[in-house]
Amino acid sequence: MTSLTSSESTGSSTELNPAIVPKNTSPKEWGWAQVLAAQLVLLAALIGLWQLAHLLGWGRAMIVRSPGEVWDAGIELFSSGQMIPALMSTLQATMIGILIAGSLGVVIGLALALTPRVERVVDPFLTAMNSAPRVAFAPVFIVAFGIGQTSKVALAISVVIFVVILNSRAGVYAADADVRRLMTVLGSTKPQIFFKLLFPVSVPSIFAGLRLGLIYALLGVVTSEMIAAQAGMGQLVSAYSGNFQLAHVYAVIFTLIIVATALNGIAGFVERRLLWWQPPAERT
């Protein structure tokens, strides 16, 4: 009996001894400064690899332009006054397209999710239209609306609206069915269920659709501009491609990449501010 008590006492002291308890060895998360430093290192490595490919003659010389040549072409485009007006024209059409498509898409997506009978009738047609290569309709929009901003906005809307519709509808489906039944049993009205449960739950999915739609809108506008437009980044790409000035083409493309990244970052910042009530892990 004495030995058992001694054993238990020894085991208890072992469990309470902080020197024996294993420490948490999970790696710490990087701060923003460490992440930024790693990203800059990766960027420098990619540019170095690009320069190496140019020096070693990997690929055709006409295609593989050096980073310096692309930089000089970009400076020329900005200093000559070609880049800024083209960029403003593209961004204007993109913003108008995402605003119209986003508004309509959210309303239609939520309405379909709340009316199952209508959704069952519309769903096959919605799926078929979403599967269609809508970029192929760019010539149709150009013939219908001309080569101004309207045709570019129309193509952007056609590309974005289905993405937003599907994400908005999926957001409503993410609501817990048991909570919905409980609210119904407790006497909650349909507007109360929508505004207190369905809509708040669907907001993250809606934002995800809008962020994705923003990039799609930019792609749709640039595609329309490459076919026919009075101004825009796609028009610059088309013009310089026809003259085989690929350094200028790359300069325009990299400018579009930087702009798209900035737009996505701004959208993410707005989302984090509006969804402050959500845990960070649940934000997109």
Side-chain angles (χ1 to χ4, degrees), residues 181-225:
R181 292 192 204 96
L182 179 61
M183 293 183 68
T184 302
V185 170
L186 294 177
S188 298
T189 62
K190 290 184 177 180
Q192 287 176 329
I193 295 175
F194 176 75
F195 287 107
K196 293 183 180 296
L197 174 64
L198 300 181
F199 184 70
V201 169
S202 65
V203 168
S205 182
I206 291 174
F207 266 101
L210 291 175
R211 289 180 64 178
L212 185 62
L214 182 61
I215 305 302
Y216 280 5
L218 181 62
L219 294 176
V221 168
V222 172
T223 300
S224 180
E225 291 171 344

Side-chain angles (χ1 to χ4, degrees), residues 123-134:
D123 185 67
F125 301 95
L126 186 64
T127 303
M129 294 175 67
N130 184 48
S131 303
R134 293 179 296 282

Side-chain angles (χ1 to χ4, degrees), residues 121-158:
V121 174
V122 175
D123 185 67
F125 301 95
L126 186 64
T127 303
M129 294 175 67
N130 184 48
S131 303
R134 293 179 296 282
V135 174
F137 288 98
V140 178
F141 291 132
I142 292 172
V143 172
F145 301 110
I147 60 175
Q149 293 288 82
T150 306
S151 60
K152 297 189 289 186
V153 171
L155 183 59
I157 293 173
S158 69

Side-chain angles (χ1 to χ4, degrees), residues 59-104:
R60 295 183 180 181
M62 180 180 294
I63 297 176
V64 183
R65 299 295 186 177
S66 68
E69 290 175 331
V70 175
W71 175 265
D72 292 338
I75 295 298
E76 178 186 340
L77 288 173
F78 277 100
S79 60
S80 64
Q82 297 181 67
M83 187 74 83
I84 297 299
L87 183 59
M88 291 299 102
S89 177
T90 299
L91 287 179
Q92 182 185 37
T94 300
M95 291 298 104
I96 295 174
I98 189 63
L99 286 175
I100 296 176
S103 302
L104 292 176

Side-chain angles (χ1 to χ4, degrees), residues 5 24 42-43 49 91 122 127 133 152 156 218 228 254-255 260 272:
T5 305
N24 185 10
L42 178 60
L43 177 62
L49 182 61
L91 287 179
V122 175
T127 303
K152 297 189 289 186
L218 181 62
F254 281 119
T255 302
R272 287 191 296 272

Side-chain angles (χ1 to χ4, degrees), residues 4-23:
L4 179 61
T5 305
S6 174
S7 173
E8 292 177 351
S9 176
T10 304
S12 176
S13 62
T14 302
E15 293 178 359
L16 297 177
N17 189 351
I20 302 178
V21 177
K23 297 181 179 179

